[in-house]
Amino acid sequence: MAIKYFTSLLLLLSAILLQAQKIRLSSSDDKVSDWEQIINQKKDSKSDIASVKNFLQPLIDRNSESDQILYDVLLANAYAENVDRVNDKSGYYYTKAIRHAAEAKLKPLEIWATLSYAGYLYNYRQMTKALPIFLAAIDKIEKTDINQLILPAESFTKIGFYMDTIGDDSEAIAYLKIAQEYTKPNTSEYAAILDNLGMSYFRKGELKNAEKNIRQSSTLSKSIGDQLRYAKTLGNLAQIYERNKDHKTAIQLVLEDVRISKETKSEKNLMYAYTLLTRLYIANNQIDEAKVTVKKACEIATSKSYFKINELDILKLRLTILQNESREHEELGIRRRIEILEDSLNKTDGVLPLNQANWLMQKRKYQQNIASTNQKFATESFWKNVIFATASLVLLGILFVFFKAKNQEKKKRVLMEEKIVDYENSRLNIERKLLDANRTLDSQIDFLKEKNIQIQKLYGEIENIKESKSSFKDNDRVKLDDLLQSHLMTEENWRNFKNEFQREHLEFYDSLIENFPEITDSNLRIILLQKLGFTNSEISGLLGITIDAVKKSKQRLKRKLGEKYDLLFQMIVSDK
């Protein structure tokens, strides 16, 4: 009897639990509100499909057109979350829902289903496939009262994030600001909007607006306990410090981003953080640390097929590290993988950098397709005019972009030529000043100091040219290299400098030659410059060698002299 009672109790509890795990339906005069209430009931994304179907079963049981559309989209979402990639099942249910909503003339549901499909493609980096879907949603939104949209805050945020990703920062800011109006303050969603607004401003070069929005997001996310968003804001603030060349502060921010991303088990954000940290370490000449972080970033990037673009960026950083260490045999394998990834991304619908012109071109084409559908009964003459006008606009647009680019290139060219002339004039002025002055050691020192300033400026210009996309950059680099070589200490400069040094520091020079016959001519140059107070950096610039080479030369001399090195050091630092 007890067993029978216990079994009945278990069955009753199971029935209650199953009922509790099903989606709750509501029915009121406000259909949009009812649909939002259904959509906002979240099912654990790790649940299997059978469990999700059981959860959504009440939508099938009620047997209405709107419920069927909701069921198809929510099921498509579940398939995407379950397999964590683009899949045929999700695509089938999204397109089925969109078609059904259009046939039933349920525009709010059609827009929501379309944006859900576009968002799914966006999440898995299918940017070019997502573009026409987003455009279809935008076209319908522009013809719909915002009050009739389902989850308007989420809808405009989704469009804003996409615009931000394809590089249309102005459009991204416009949509994110609309989303802001419909999002509750003091929420994770609001913090996400602020953060992304900041990054859109950052890419536009508006650093004050960028920092303001990101810091607001950082403060809000920390106060509400959204640790992952807080970590993201730290990484984004680090990029602002990176832009301002404050690599030390940027590195500290990203290290905290890494720590929190590990705690929250966010692999995607951890990959972004490691990538940024690697870039900062390279810029700060912390190569050993960069090797560790780039390896960790690469491990995450290769774990998902839709992280290919991230893997490409990471491999380029690895290549930079290898080039700094002259490890050509390892570079070959990296370059081959880079070529494979670039070829794959250019031939598929993976993440491609969509510039503003590309976006406007495709938007125009898609709008024309809509117009052709709505006016399919127009005359052949009308279509010829439309095609001619469109072709003319496209041609004018191409010509405008072409001539604008040529004009900008011309301005850059003139500016660089002016800089090169200025550097040449500076060199001549420095040498003229030396000739006009009495040939003393002080005038030689001033001469070398001024030369060193010019050398550092030229190194900076050469580094900038490396990043340039100018078609004249190779020619400019040759000219700057020639100027740089002209500033380095020539044999004639060295003889003049040494003569003046001997004249004013004869006792030191004679003692040096007498007591240290092991000193070579290259050692002598470094010792004399060091005696006059030139730093390692200044010595490396004047002699045309690296700072490491200066340090290693000193170390080798120390080993060669042994105990005698202390005497040499005392002589160098002595005032005599």
Side-chain angles (χ1 to χ4, degrees), residues 185-191 217-227 229:
N186 302 321
T187 61
S188 295
E189 291 77 12
Y190 199 84
S217 176
S218 187
T219 302
L220 173 57
S221 56
K222 190 174 184 180
S223 69
I224 63 177
D226 187 346
Q227 285 293 92
R229 177 55 58 185

Side-chain angles (χ1 to χ4, degrees), residues 146 152-153 156-157 173-183 193:
I146 290 182
F156 287 110
T157 299
I173 290 168
Y175 279 108
L176 288 173
K177 283 186 173 180
I178 298 172
Q180 221 175 353
E181 296 176 18
Y182 292 89
T183 305
I193 291 170

Side-chain angles (χ1 to χ4, degrees), residues 220-345:
L220 173 57
S221 56
K222 190 174 184 180
S223 69
I224 63 177
D226 187 346
Q227 285 293 92
L228 180 56
R229 177 55 58 185
Y230 177 61
K232 290 178 179 180
T233 62
L234 296 179
N236 290 338
L237 284 172
Q239 293 186 62
I240 295 176
Y241 282 101
E242 179 189 23
R243 179 76 66 88
N244 292 327
K245 306 297 183 184
D246 186 352
H247 297 125
K248 184 177 179 181
T249 304
I251 287 169
Q252 292 304 313
L253 288 168
V254 182
L255 285 172
E256 182 65 6
D257 182 1
V258 167
R259 184 188 68 78
I260 297 171
S261 296
K262 285 180 180 178
E263 286 182 359
T264 55
K265 298 181 179 179
S266 173
E267 285 202 337
K268 185 177 181 181
N269 199 62
L270 186 58
M271 175 183 64
Y272 290 144
Y274 276 140
T275 305
L276 175 55
L277 192 54
T278 300
R279 194 168 74 228
L280 290 167
Y281 278 146
I282 293 172
N284 209 39
N285 203 30
Q286 295 177 247
I287 303 303
D288 289 339
E289 290 89 341
K291 290 178 189 175
V292 175
T293 53
V294 79
K295 182 180 178 183
K296 292 178 179 179
C298 201
E299 287 172 356
I300 300 173
T302 53
S303 68
K304 303 286 184 184
S305 61
Y306 49 87
F307 284 163
K308 281 184 179 180
I309 190 67
N310 305 99
E311 184 187 356
L312 181 60
D313 292 338
I314 293 163
L315 288 177
K316 287 179 179 177
L317 290 174
R318 283 189 65 189
L319 193 59
T320 301
I321 294 170
L322 292 174
Q323 288 171 337
N324 286 339
E325 297 183 332
S326 300
R327 290 156 62 186
E328 291 84 358
H329 62 288
E330 293 183 42
E331 286 182 34
L332 184 59
I334 301 295
R335 290 185 186 279
R336 284 175 179 167
R337 178 60 181 163
I338 287 173
E339 288 176 5
I340 291 169
L341 286 172
E342 287 178 337
D343 184 61
S344 173
L345 291 169

